PDB file of all heavy atoms in Angstrom:
ATOM      1  N   ASP P  20     -97.316 109.119-131.261  1.00  0.00           N
ATOM      2  CA  ASP P  20     -97.616 110.233-132.214  1.00  0.00           C
ATOM      3  C   ASP P  20     -99.116 110.575-132.284  1.00  0.00           C
ATOM      4  O   ASP P  20     -99.476 111.726-132.492  1.00  0.00           O
ATOM      5  CB  ASP P  20     -97.131 109.815-133.625  1.00  0.00           C
ATOM      6  CG  ASP P  20     -95.642 109.854-133.758  1.00  0.00           C
ATOM      7  OD1 ASP P  20     -94.973 110.454-132.901  1.00  0.00           O
ATOM      8  OD2 ASP P  20     -95.110 109.287-134.724  1.00  0.00           O
ATOM      9  N   MET P  21     -99.970 109.580-132.060  1.00  0.00           N
ATOM     10  CA  MET P  21    -101.400 109.847-132.241  1.00  0.00           C
ATOM     11  C   MET P  21    -102.121 110.147-130.934  1.00  0.00           C
ATOM     12  O   MET P  21    -103.345 110.315-130.943  1.00  0.00           O
ATOM     13  CB  MET P  21    -102.064 108.665-132.934  1.00  0.00           C
ATOM     14  CG  MET P  21    -102.235 107.401-132.106  1.00  0.00           C
ATOM     15  SD  MET P  21    -103.018 106.089-133.091  1.00  0.00           S
ATOM     16  CE  MET P  21    -103.241 104.844-131.792  1.00  0.00           C
ATOM     17  N   LEU P  22    -101.395 110.213-129.818  1.00  0.00           N
ATOM     18  CA  LEU P  22    -102.061 110.436-128.524  1.00  0.00           C
ATOM     19  C   LEU P  22    -102.931 111.714-128.463  1.00  0.00           C
ATOM     20  O   LEU P  22    -104.015 111.693-127.861  1.00  0.00           O
ATOM     21  CB  LEU P  22    -101.046 110.445-127.384  1.00  0.00           C
ATOM     22  CG  LEU P  22    -100.690 109.047-126.844  1.00  0.00           C
ATOM     23  CD1 LEU P  22     -99.594 109.153-125.782  1.00  0.00           C
ATOM     24  CD2 LEU P  22    -101.941 108.382-126.272  1.00  0.00           C
ATOM     25  N   PRO P  23    -102.531 112.832-129.068  1.00  0.00           N
ATOM     26  CA  PRO P  23    -103.430 113.993-129.069  1.00  0.00           C
ATOM     27  C   PRO P  23    -104.780 113.670-129.730  1.00  0.00           C
ATOM     28  O   PRO P  23    -105.833 114.100-129.223  1.00  0.00           O
ATOM     29  CB  PRO P  23    -102.677 115.046-129.867  1.00  0.00           C
ATOM     30  CG  PRO P  23    -101.235 114.688-129.643  1.00  0.00           C
ATOM     31  CD  PRO P  23    -101.230 113.159-129.645  1.00  0.00           C
ATOM     32  N   ASP P  24    -104.792 112.907-130.806  1.00  0.00           N
ATOM     33  CA  ASP P  24    -106.011 112.505-131.472  1.00  0.00           C
ATOM     34  C   ASP P  24    -106.802 111.530-130.589  1.00  0.00           C
ATOM     35  O   ASP P  24    -108.016 111.572-130.504  1.00  0.00           O
ATOM     36  CB  ASP P  24    -105.752 111.843-132.805  1.00  0.00           C
ATOM     37  CG  ASP P  24    -105.415 112.870-133.904  1.00  0.00           C
ATOM     38  OD1 ASP P  24    -105.983 113.961-133.833  1.00  0.00           O
ATOM     39  OD2 ASP P  24    -104.608 112.606-134.756  1.00  0.00           O
ATOM     40  N   VAL P  25    -106.070 110.593-129.938  1.00  0.00           N
ATOM     41  CA  VAL P  25    -106.722 109.641-129.056  1.00  0.00           C
ATOM     42  C   VAL P  25    -107.465 110.369-127.950  1.00  0.00           C
ATOM     43  O   VAL P  25    -108.659 110.074-127.669  1.00  0.00           O
ATOM     44  CB  VAL P  25    -105.689 108.657-128.451  1.00  0.00           C
ATOM     45  CG1 VAL P  25    -106.331 107.850-127.352  1.00  0.00           C
ATOM     46  CG2 VAL P  25    -105.145 107.732-129.523  1.00  0.00           C
ATOM     47  N   ALA P  26    -106.802 111.360-127.356  1.00  0.00           N
ATOM     48  CA  ALA P  26    -107.460 112.095-126.237  1.00  0.00           C
ATOM     49  C   ALA P  26    -108.747 112.775-126.713  1.00  0.00           C
ATOM     50  O   ALA P  26    -109.695 112.847-125.932  1.00  0.00           O
ATOM     51  CB  ALA P  26    -106.446 113.142-125.706  1.00  0.00           C
ATOM     52  N   ASP P  27    -108.771 113.224-127.954  1.00  0.00           N
ATOM     53  CA  ASP P  27    -109.982 113.856-128.480  1.00  0.00           C
ATOM     54  C   ASP P  27    -111.124 112.864-128.681  1.00  0.00           C
ATOM     55  O   ASP P  27    -112.285 113.285-128.833  1.00  0.00           O
ATOM     56  CB  ASP P  27    -109.696 114.540-129.821  1.00  0.00           C
ATOM     57  CG  ASP P  27    -108.839 115.792-129.622  1.00  0.00           C
ATOM     58  OD1 ASP P  27    -108.784 116.352-128.496  1.00  0.00           O
ATOM     59  OD2 ASP P  27    -108.219 116.235-130.616  1.00  0.00           O
ATOM     60  N   HIS P  28    -110.795 111.571-128.748  1.00  0.00           N
ATOM     61  CA  HIS P  28    -111.816 110.589-129.086  1.00  0.00           C
ATOM     62  C   HIS P  28    -112.165 109.694-127.885  1.00  0.00           C
ATOM     63  O   HIS P  28    -113.007 108.739-128.016  1.00  0.00           O
ATOM     64  CB  HIS P  28    -111.419 109.723-130.251  1.00  0.00           C
ATOM     65  CG  HIS P  28    -111.451 110.498-131.549  1.00  0.00           C
ATOM     66  ND1 HIS P  28    -110.489 111.412-131.919  1.00  0.00           N
ATOM     67  CD2 HIS P  28    -112.403 110.515-132.538  1.00  0.00           C
ATOM     68  CE1 HIS P  28    -110.795 111.917-133.101  1.00  0.00           C
ATOM     69  NE2 HIS P  28    -111.942 111.412-133.497  1.00  0.00           N
ATOM     70  N   VAL P  29    -111.525 109.904-126.726  1.00  0.00           N
ATOM     71  CA  VAL P  29    -111.898 109.216-125.506  1.00  0.00           C
ATOM     72  C   VAL P  29    -112.701 110.153-124.631  1.00  0.00           C
ATOM     73  O   VAL P  29    -112.253 111.267-124.322  1.00  0.00           O
ATOM     74  CB  VAL P  29    -110.627 108.753-124.716  1.00  0.00           C
ATOM     75  CG1 VAL P  29    -111.038 108.037-123.447  1.00  0.00           C
ATOM     76  CG2 VAL P  29    -109.769 107.869-125.569  1.00  0.00           C
ATOM     77  N   LYS P  30    -113.876 109.757-124.233  1.00  0.00           N
ATOM     78  CA  LYS P  30    -114.731 110.600-123.403  1.00  0.00           C
ATOM     79  C   LYS P  30    -114.046 110.845-122.064  1.00  0.00           C
ATOM     80  O   LYS P  30    -113.279 109.986-121.603  1.00  0.00           O
ATOM     81  CB  LYS P  30    -116.079 109.968-123.210  1.00  0.00           C
ATOM     82  CG  LYS P  30    -116.931 109.892-124.473  1.00  0.00           C
ATOM     83  CD  LYS P  30    -118.283 109.305-124.229  1.00  0.00           C
ATOM     84  CE  LYS P  30    -119.117 109.255-125.482  1.00  0.00           C
ATOM     85  NZ  LYS P  30    -120.489 108.670-125.267  1.00  0.00           N
ATOM     86  N   PRO P  31    -114.295 111.988-121.420  1.00  0.00           N
ATOM     87  CA  PRO P  31    -113.712 112.241-120.101  1.00  0.00           C
ATOM     88  C   PRO P  31    -114.066 111.071-119.146  1.00  0.00           C
ATOM     89  O   PRO P  31    -115.216 110.640-119.057  1.00  0.00           O
ATOM     90  CB  PRO P  31    -114.392 113.552-119.639  1.00  0.00           C
ATOM     91  CG  PRO P  31    -114.699 114.245-120.926  1.00  0.00           C
ATOM     92  CD  PRO P  31    -115.057 113.147-121.886  1.00  0.00           C
ATOM     93  N   GLY P  32    -113.043 110.554-118.498  1.00  0.00           N
ATOM     94  CA  GLY P  32    -113.223 109.383-117.646  1.00  0.00           C
ATOM     95  C   GLY P  32    -113.184 108.080-118.407  1.00  0.00           C
ATOM     96  O   GLY P  32    -113.262 106.981-117.785  1.00  0.00           O
ATOM     97  N   GLY P  33    -113.056 108.125-119.737  1.00  0.00           N
ATOM     98  CA  GLY P  33    -113.037 106.934-120.553  1.00  0.00           C
ATOM     99  C   GLY P  33    -111.662 106.259-120.542  1.00  0.00           C
ATOM    100  O   GLY P  33    -110.698 106.765-119.981  1.00  0.00           O
ATOM    101  N   ILE P  34    -111.614 105.096-121.160  1.00  0.00           N
ATOM    102  CA  ILE P  34    -110.421 104.206-121.104  1.00  0.00           C
ATOM    103  C   ILE P  34    -109.768 104.114-122.446  1.00  0.00           C
ATOM    104  O   ILE P  34    -110.410 103.959-123.494  1.00  0.00           O
ATOM    105  CB  ILE P  34    -110.847 102.795-120.654  1.00  0.00           C
ATOM    106  CG1 ILE P  34    -111.578 102.863-119.295  1.00  0.00           C
ATOM    107  CG2 ILE P  34    -109.601 101.891-120.569  1.00  0.00           C
ATOM    108  CD1 ILE P  34    -110.739 103.385-118.158  1.00  0.00           C
ATOM    109  N   TYR P  35    -108.439 104.222-122.432  1.00  0.00           N
ATOM    110  CA  TYR P  35    -107.625 103.936-123.635  1.00  0.00           C
ATOM    111  C   TYR P  35    -106.798 102.658-123.365  1.00  0.00           C
ATOM    112  O   TYR P  35    -106.079 102.605-122.341  1.00  0.00           O
ATOM    113  CB  TYR P  35    -106.713 105.090-123.946  1.00  0.00           C
ATOM    114  CG  TYR P  35    -105.817 104.808-125.117  1.00  0.00           C
ATOM    115  CD1 TYR P  35    -106.277 104.281-126.331  1.00  0.00           C
ATOM    116  CD2 TYR P  35    -104.432 105.135-125.056  1.00  0.00           C
ATOM    117  CE1 TYR P  35    -105.441 104.028-127.380  1.00  0.00           C
ATOM    118  CE2 TYR P  35    -103.578 104.921-126.118  1.00  0.00           C
ATOM    119  CZ  TYR P  35    -104.103 104.332-127.294  1.00  0.00           C
ATOM    120  OH  TYR P  35    -103.267 104.104-128.353  1.00  0.00           O
ATOM    121  N   ILE P  36    -106.951 101.691-124.246  1.00  0.00           N
ATOM    122  CA  ILE P  36    -106.215 100.433-124.162  1.00  0.00           C
ATOM    123  C   ILE P  36    -105.210 100.414-125.334  1.00  0.00           C
ATOM    124  O   ILE P  36    -105.616 100.574-126.487  1.00  0.00           O
ATOM    125  CB  ILE P  36    -107.156  99.221-124.223  1.00  0.00           C
ATOM    126  CG1 ILE P  36    -108.111  99.226-123.051  1.00  0.00           C
ATOM    127  CG2 ILE P  36    -106.370  97.915-124.290  1.00  0.00           C
ATOM    128  CD1 ILE P  36    -109.284  98.272-123.189  1.00  0.00           C
ATOM    129  N   ALA P  37    -103.952 100.182-125.031  1.00  0.00           N
ATOM    130  CA  ALA P  37    -102.935 100.175-126.091  1.00  0.00           C
ATOM    131  C   ALA P  37    -102.060  98.973-125.937  1.00  0.00           C
ATOM    132  O   ALA P  37    -101.658  98.564-124.858  1.00  0.00           O
ATOM    133  CB  ALA P  37    -102.101 101.444-126.017  1.00  0.00           C
ATOM    134  N   SER P  38    -101.666  98.370-127.082  1.00  0.00           N
ATOM    135  CA  SER P  38    -100.762  97.236-127.066  1.00  0.00           C
ATOM    136  C   SER P  38     -99.935  97.302-128.383  1.00  0.00           C
ATOM    137  O   SER P  38     -99.996  98.277-129.126  1.00  0.00           O
ATOM    138  CB  SER P  38    -101.506  95.947-126.970  1.00  0.00           C
ATOM    139  OG  SER P  38    -100.594  94.867-126.693  1.00  0.00           O
ATOM    140  N   GLY P  39     -99.142  96.254-128.619  1.00  0.00           N
ATOM    141  CA  GLY P  39     -98.157  96.267-129.734  1.00  0.00           C
ATOM    142  C   GLY P  39     -96.913  97.012-129.288  1.00  0.00           C
ATOM    143  O   GLY P  39     -96.137  97.459-130.133  1.00  0.00           O
ATOM    144  N   ILE P  40     -96.701  97.127-127.968  1.00  0.00           N
ATOM    145  CA  ILE P  40     -95.593  97.889-127.416  1.00  0.00           C
ATOM    146  C   ILE P  40     -94.483  96.937-126.983  1.00  0.00           C
ATOM    147  O   ILE P  40     -94.671  96.091-126.107  1.00  0.00           O
ATOM    148  CB  ILE P  40     -96.078  98.675-126.188  1.00  0.00           C
ATOM    149  CG1 ILE P  40     -97.274  99.560-126.560  1.00  0.00           C
ATOM    150  CG2 ILE P  40     -94.949  99.523-125.627  1.00  0.00           C
ATOM    151  CD1 ILE P  40     -98.032 100.108-125.329  1.00  0.00           C
ATOM    152  N   LEU P  41     -93.311  97.077-127.614  1.00  0.00           N
ATOM    153  CA  LEU P  41     -92.160  96.322-127.115  1.00  0.00           C
ATOM    154  C   LEU P  41     -91.893  96.736-125.660  1.00  0.00           C
ATOM    155  O   LEU P  41     -91.942  97.905-125.314  1.00  0.00           O
ATOM    156  CB  LEU P  41     -90.918  96.586-127.985  1.00  0.00           C
ATOM    157  CG  LEU P  41     -90.936  95.937-129.360  1.00  0.00           C
ATOM    158  CD1 LEU P  41     -89.846  96.518-130.253  1.00  0.00           C
ATOM    159  CD2 LEU P  41     -90.772  94.439-129.233  1.00  0.00           C
ATOM    160  N   LYS P  42     -91.548  95.757-124.831  1.00  0.00           N
ATOM    161  CA  LYS P  42     -91.486  96.045-123.386  1.00  0.00           C
ATOM    162  C   LYS P  42     -90.445  97.114-123.049  1.00  0.00           C
ATOM    163  O   LYS P  42     -90.652  97.871-122.088  1.00  0.00           O
ATOM    164  CB  LYS P  42     -91.181  94.757-122.611  1.00  0.00           C
ATOM    165  CG  LYS P  42     -89.847  94.114-122.979  1.00  0.00           C
ATOM    166  CD  LYS P  42     -89.670  92.792-122.161  1.00  0.00           C
ATOM    167  CE  LYS P  42     -88.361  92.091-122.483  1.00  0.00           C
ATOM    168  NZ  LYS P  42     -88.211  90.788-121.755  1.00  0.00           N
ATOM    169  N   GLU P  43     -89.383  97.231-123.859  1.00  0.00           N
ATOM    170  CA  GLU P  43     -88.403  98.267-123.564  1.00  0.00           C
ATOM    171  C   GLU P  43     -88.885  99.681-123.908  1.00  0.00           C
ATOM    172  O   GLU P  43     -88.271 100.668-123.512  1.00  0.00           O
ATOM    173  CB  GLU P  43     -87.089  98.001-124.295  1.00  0.00           C
ATOM    174  CG  GLU P  43     -87.186  97.898-125.791  1.00  0.00           C
ATOM    175  CD  GLU P  43     -87.347  96.449-126.269  1.00  0.00           C
ATOM    176  OE1 GLU P  43     -87.869  95.618-125.506  1.00  0.00           O
ATOM    177  OE2 GLU P  43     -86.910  96.158-127.411  1.00  0.00           O
ATOM    178  N   LYS P  44     -90.062  99.752-124.613  1.00  0.00           N
ATOM    179  CA  LYS P  44     -90.599 101.051-124.972  1.00  0.00           C
ATOM    180  C   LYS P  44     -91.817 101.409-124.103  1.00  0.00           C
ATOM    181  O   LYS P  44     -92.433 102.460-124.332  1.00  0.00           O
ATOM    182  CB  LYS P  44     -90.964 101.092-126.443  1.00  0.00           C
ATOM    183  CG  LYS P  44     -89.763 100.909-127.357  1.00  0.00           C
ATOM    184  CD  LYS P  44     -90.134 100.923-128.808  1.00  0.00           C
ATOM    185  CE  LYS P  44     -88.900 100.740-129.716  1.00  0.00           C
ATOM    186  NZ  LYS P  44     -89.240 100.752-131.138  1.00  0.00           N
ATOM    187  N   LEU P  45     -92.152 100.552-123.180  1.00  0.00           N
ATOM    188  CA  LEU P  45     -93.361 100.771-122.342  1.00  0.00           C
ATOM    189  C   LEU P  45     -93.279 102.059-121.560  1.00  0.00           C
ATOM    190  O   LEU P  45     -94.247 102.826-121.499  1.00  0.00           O
ATOM    191  CB  LEU P  45     -93.551  99.596-121.400  1.00  0.00           C
ATOM    192  CG  LEU P  45     -94.759  99.677-120.436  1.00  0.00           C
ATOM    193  CD1 LEU P  45     -96.055  99.796-121.223  1.00  0.00           C
ATOM    194  CD2 LEU P  45     -94.784  98.468-119.514  1.00  0.00           C
ATOM    195  N   THR P  46     -92.115 102.344-120.979  1.00  0.00           N
ATOM    196  CA  THR P  46     -91.973 103.589-120.178  1.00  0.00           C
ATOM    197  C   THR P  46     -92.185 104.825-121.038  1.00  0.00           C
ATOM    198  O   THR P  46     -92.802 105.804-120.595  1.00  0.00           O
ATOM    199  CB  THR P  46     -90.569 103.619-119.517  1.00  0.00           C
ATOM    200  OG1 THR P  46     -90.417 102.472-118.675  1.00  0.00           O
ATOM    201  CG2 THR P  46     -90.396 104.896-118.691  1.00  0.00           C
ATOM    202  N   ASP P  47     -91.687 104.774-122.295  1.00  0.00           N
ATOM    203  CA  ASP P  47     -91.885 105.929-123.191  1.00  0.00           C
ATOM    204  C   ASP P  47     -93.394 106.190-123.429  1.00  0.00           C
ATOM    205  O   ASP P  47     -93.829 107.332-123.424  1.00  0.00           O
ATOM    206  CB  ASP P  47     -91.221 105.688-124.541  1.00  0.00           C
ATOM    207  CG  ASP P  47     -89.706 105.579-124.416  1.00  0.00           C
ATOM    208  OD1 ASP P  47     -89.157 106.118-123.444  1.00  0.00           O
ATOM    209  OD2 ASP P  47     -89.049 104.984-125.280  1.00  0.00           O
ATOM    210  N   VAL P  48     -94.145 105.110-123.644  1.00  0.00           N
ATOM    211  CA  VAL P  48     -95.571 105.273-123.871  1.00  0.00           C
ATOM    212  C   VAL P  48     -96.299 105.771-122.612  1.00  0.00           C
ATOM    213  O   VAL P  48     -97.155 106.657-122.707  1.00  0.00           O
ATOM    214  CB  VAL P  48     -96.203 103.919-124.365  1.00  0.00           C
ATOM    215  CG1 VAL P  48     -97.712 104.067-124.551  1.00  0.00           C
ATOM    216  CG2 VAL P  48     -95.557 103.495-125.670  1.00  0.00           C
ATOM    217  N   GLU P  49     -95.900 105.236-121.453  1.00  0.00           N
ATOM    218  CA  GLU P  49     -96.504 105.655-120.204  1.00  0.00           C
ATOM    219  C   GLU P  49     -96.285 107.174-119.971  1.00  0.00           C
ATOM    220  O   GLU P  49     -97.220 107.907-119.547  1.00  0.00           O
ATOM    221  CB  GLU P  49     -95.973 104.828-119.036  1.00  0.00           C
ATOM    222  CG  GLU P  49     -96.414 103.384-119.051  1.00  0.00           C
ATOM    223  CD  GLU P  49     -95.734 102.565-117.982  1.00  0.00           C
ATOM    224  OE1 GLU P  49     -94.724 103.035-117.397  1.00  0.00           O
ATOM    225  OE2 GLU P  49     -96.223 101.446-117.739  1.00  0.00           O
ATOM    226  N   GLU P  50     -95.060 107.661-120.229  1.00  0.00           N
ATOM    227  CA  GLU P  50     -94.782 109.063-120.033  1.00  0.00           C
ATOM    228  C   GLU P  50     -95.591 109.918-120.990  1.00  0.00           C
ATOM    229  O   GLU P  50     -96.071 110.999-120.641  1.00  0.00           O
ATOM    230  CB  GLU P  50     -93.255 109.303-120.202  1.00  0.00           C
ATOM    231  CG  GLU P  50     -92.413 108.738-119.092  1.00  0.00           C
ATOM    232  CD  GLU P  50     -92.816 109.303-117.715  1.00  0.00           C
ATOM    233  OE1 GLU P  50     -93.014 110.527-117.632  1.00  0.00           O
ATOM    234  OE2 GLU P  50     -92.913 108.513-116.748  1.00  0.00           O
ATOM    235  N   ALA P  51     -95.702 109.470-122.262  1.00  0.00           N
ATOM    236  CA  ALA P  51     -96.481 110.223-123.231  1.00  0.00           C
ATOM    237  C   ALA P  51     -97.936 110.253-122.885  1.00  0.00           C
ATOM    238  O   ALA P  51     -98.612 111.272-123.070  1.00  0.00           O
ATOM    239  CB  ALA P  51     -96.311 109.587-124.630  1.00  0.00           C
ATOM    240  N   LEU P  52     -98.477 109.185-122.303  1.00  0.00           N
ATOM    241  CA  LEU P  52     -99.867 109.184-121.857  1.00  0.00           C
ATOM    242  C   LEU P  52    -100.095 110.224-120.778  1.00  0.00           C
ATOM    243  O   LEU P  52    -101.124 110.955-120.802  1.00  0.00           O
ATOM    244  CB  LEU P  52    -100.234 107.794-121.367  1.00  0.00           C
ATOM    245  CG  LEU P  52    -100.613 106.738-122.391  1.00  0.00           C
ATOM    246  CD1 LEU P  52    -100.596 105.346-121.784  1.00  0.00           C
ATOM    247  CD2 LEU P  52    -102.016 107.053-122.941  1.00  0.00           C
ATOM    248  N   LYS P  53     -99.201 110.288-119.817  1.00  0.00           N
ATOM    249  CA  LYS P  53     -99.363 111.269-118.754  1.00  0.00           C
ATOM    250  C   LYS P  53     -99.391 112.691-119.318  1.00  0.00           C
ATOM    251  O   LYS P  53    -100.194 113.529-118.882  1.00  0.00           O
ATOM    252  CB  LYS P  53     -98.243 111.120-117.707  1.00  0.00           C
ATOM    253  CG  LYS P  53     -98.275 109.815-116.960  1.00  0.00           C
ATOM    254  CD  LYS P  53     -97.039 109.650-116.088  1.00  0.00           C
ATOM    255  CE  LYS P  53     -97.020 108.299-115.423  1.00  0.00           C
ATOM    256  NZ  LYS P  53     -95.765 108.080-114.610  1.00  0.00           N
ATOM    257  N   GLY P  54     -98.520 112.942-120.287  1.00  0.00           N
ATOM    258  CA  GLY P  54     -98.475 114.260-120.897  1.00  0.00           C
ATOM    259  C   GLY P  54     -99.710 114.569-121.739  1.00  0.00           C
ATOM    260  O   GLY P  54     -99.983 115.755-121.992  1.00  0.00           O
ATOM    261  N   ALA P  55    -100.434 113.549-122.129  1.00  0.00           N
ATOM    262  CA  ALA P  55    -101.652 113.770-122.958  1.00  0.00           C
ATOM    263  C   ALA P  55    -102.919 113.766-122.115  1.00  0.00           C
ATOM    264  O   ALA P  55    -104.015 113.773-122.671  1.00  0.00           O
ATOM    265  CB  ALA P  55    -101.752 112.669-124.028  1.00  0.00           C
ATOM    266  N   GLY P  56    -102.770 113.752-120.790  1.00  0.00           N
ATOM    267  CA  GLY P  56    -103.948 113.851-119.929  1.00  0.00           C
ATOM    268  C   GLY P  56    -104.554 112.535-119.497  1.00  0.00           C
ATOM    269  O   GLY P  56    -105.752 112.467-119.202  1.00  0.00           O
ATOM    270  N   PHE P  57    -103.753 111.489-119.461  1.00  0.00           N
ATOM    271  CA  PHE P  57    -104.223 110.189-119.059  1.00  0.00           C
ATOM    272  C   PHE P  57    -103.581 109.751-117.728  1.00  0.00           C
ATOM    273  O   PHE P  57    -102.413 110.074-117.470  1.00  0.00           O
ATOM    274  CB  PHE P  57    -103.915 109.101-120.105  1.00  0.00           C
ATOM    275  CG  PHE P  57    -104.794 109.198-121.331  1.00  0.00           C
ATOM    276  CD1 PHE P  57    -104.387 110.005-122.410  1.00  0.00           C
ATOM    277  CD2 PHE P  57    -105.962 108.521-121.420  1.00  0.00           C
ATOM    278  CE1 PHE P  57    -105.157 110.076-123.548  1.00  0.00           C
ATOM    279  CE2 PHE P  57    -106.753 108.570-122.556  1.00  0.00           C
ATOM    280  CZ  PHE P  57    -106.362 109.375-123.651  1.00  0.00           C
ATOM    281  N   GLU P  58    -104.323 108.962-116.992  1.00  0.00           N
ATOM    282  CA  GLU P  58    -103.821 108.324-115.768  1.00  0.00           C
ATOM    283  C   GLU P  58    -103.623 106.813-116.037  1.00  0.00           C
ATOM    284  O   GLU P  58    -104.563 106.153-116.454  1.00  0.00           O
ATOM    285  CB  GLU P  58    -104.833 108.543-114.635  1.00  0.00           C
ATOM    286  CG  GLU P  58    -104.499 107.735-113.365  1.00  0.00           C
ATOM    287  CD  GLU P  58    -105.699 107.699-112.412  1.00  0.00           C
ATOM    288  OE1 GLU P  58    -106.795 108.126-112.820  1.00  0.00           O
ATOM    289  OE2 GLU P  58    -105.520 107.205-111.290  1.00  0.00           O
TER     290      GLU P  58
END
């Protein structure tokens, strides 16, 4: 839910580290990251 805000606060080329993710939800987070402009 907060990835649009995260993207605004990570400098271009900067790193976002995320945890607290149940392993069965990891793919959902990875897909959302790609949609928010992260590699």
Side-chain angles (χ1 to χ4, degrees):
D20 287 345
M21 72 181 187
L22 275 176
D24 283 326
V25 169
D27 288 340
H28 288 79
V29 179
K30 292 181 178 180
I34 304 297
Y35 176 47
I36 298 166
S38 191
I40 305 166
L41 286 167
K42 62 183 179 182
E43 57 266 28
K44 297 179 181 179
L45 178 61
T46 300
D47 295 337
V48 177
E49 291 174 345
E50 290 302 316
L52 277 165
K53 294 174 185 176
F57 287 90
E58 171 194 10

